Amino acid sequence: LIALALNNLDRYAEALPLFQSIYQQYQTEGNTPRLLEAGTGLANALRGTGRLDSAERVYQQLLVIARKNDDRRTAFYSTVYAGLAHVYFDLDRIADAERSALEAISVSEPNDYFLPRLEAQRILYEIYRGRGDHQQALHFLEQYTRDHDSLQNKENLAMMSMSQALYEYQRKEEAL
């Protein structure tokens, strides 16, 4: 959990050795589901520290392991493909970035996995804008904006529900 929290805080250099240790442990134990989770964190930390070739290698290894073990968790696949799209984009491997981003979207859309889809949409927007394909760029920008707003609305509703529950709890406490 500490490594994941560090990644979420963009403290990749601190998270990296933790993820490397966890990844090796799960690899030794043969714990495939945990290995895939730790590997995703490891690849993200590698990407965050600028080790793009290593991140690509880990993402690709994770796909091989998941397919070999018939893992069908679509959230995992959408996250890995979005991560690969980001790596390829940063490596200026635009065709690979486009292919991976489209795969991330195709896996995430039926299941409402917003975060990988948002990342893929942003990358596709950048790709098509860079190519001068303004119609496609606009399409992915509109999708990104729609999904981002939807995610914000869900987060706002959750916060409002929590605030309402806290308010009701405090009222009941005061009444006692």
Side-chain angles (χ1 to χ4, degrees):
L1 286 175
I2 293 171
L4 185 59
L6 290 169
N7 260 6
N8 288 338
L9 294 170
D10 296 337
R11 293 170 58 181
Y12 303 110
E14 295 170 70
L16 186 57
L18 297 173
F19 275 119
Q20 288 170 325
S21 174
I22 296 166
Y23 186 77
Q24 287 177 338
Q25 177 185 343
Y26 290 139
Q27 199 169 32
T28 302
E29 293 173 1
N31 187 337
T32 301
R34 295 287 186 201
L35 177 69
L36 295 174
E37 291 170 8
T40 304
L42 173 60
N44 290 340
L46 287 165
R47 188 181 83 200
T49 58
R51 298 177 179 167
L52 300 176
D53 291 331
S54 295
E56 177 194 7
R57 208 169 20 262
V58 172
Y59 282 131
Q60 292 294 353
Q61 289 170 353
L62 294 174
L63 289 173
V64 169
I65 293 167
R67 289 181 188 128
K68 181 179 165 186
N69 289 280
D70 199 30
D71 192 301
R72 298 177 188 262
R73 293 176 298 161
T74 53
F76 164 78
Y77 285 104
S78 62
T79 300
V80 170
Y81 281 117
L84 274 170
H86 194 105
V87 166
Y88 291 142
F89 185 79
D90 289 348
L91 289 170
D92 204 29
R93 292 172 50 189
I94 302 304
D96 291 331
E98 179 182 22
R99 187 174 19 81
S100 294
L102 290 169
E103 187 65 29
I105 289 172
S106 75
V107 173
S108 66
E109 276 191 336
N111 301 297
D112 262 355
Y113 300 131
F114 279 104
L115 296 179
R117 188 166 66 225
L118 283 171
E119 187 172 355
Q121 290 165 341
R122 185 189 59 74
I123 289 168
L124 288 168
Y125 161 72
E126 293 291 339
I127 289 170
Y128 293 123
R129 186 175 65 100
R131 287 183 183 161
D133 187 342
H134 301 294
Q135 187 173 6
Q136 280 291 85
L138 178 60
H139 170 75
F140 284 106
L141 180 60
E142 287 172 344
Q143 281 190 341
Y144 174 85
T145 303
R146 179 200 66 216
D147 287 347
H148 187 269
D149 289 349
S150 183
L151 180 61
Q152 288 292 107
N153 288 341
K154 285 182 180 187
E155 289 174 353
N156 288 342
L157 285 173
M159 292 291 286
M160 287 173 31
S161 294
M162 287 176 45
S163 295
Q164 179 68 29
L166 179 61
Y167 171 75
E168 290 174 11
Y169 174 77
Q170 288 174 337
R171 261 191 39 212
K172 287 179 183 177
E173 285 291 311
E174 289 173 2
L176 295 177

